[in-house]
Amino acid sequence: MRNNALTIVAVIVGVLFVLFLLKWLFRLATAVVVVGVVIVAGVLIVNWLLRQRSER
């Protein structure tokens, strides 16, 4: 019986840990995506500005 309770507690702790990890990974992925979008937008804007300047 004690073994069963220990297993249940271990499973609950494992699930909570995995959920916490997934939340953290999701936050990290969101940050990476935001940074990537900002970098791409910056490069596109700089390219566009350079093109506008060279056309004059």
Side-chain angles (χ1 to χ4, degrees):
M1 188 68 203
R2 185 160 173 249
N3 215 6
N4 258 356
L6 210 71
T7 304
I8 290 167
V9 167
V11 167
I12 289 170
V13 167
V15 167
L16 285 176
F17 182 71
V18 166
L19 283 175
F20 177 76
L21 208 69
L22 282 175
K23 204 164 116 183
W24 194 78
L25 280 173
F26 184 71
R27 194 173 294 160
L28 192 74
T30 305
V32 166
V33 167
V34 167
V35 168
V37 166
V38 166
I39 288 171
V40 168
V43 167
L44 287 176
I45 289 169
V46 166
N47 273 348
W48 184 75
L49 286 174
L50 287 175
R51 199 176 296 146
Q52 293 292 105
R53 188 172 290 169
S54 68
E55 276 177 7
R56 276 181 195 167

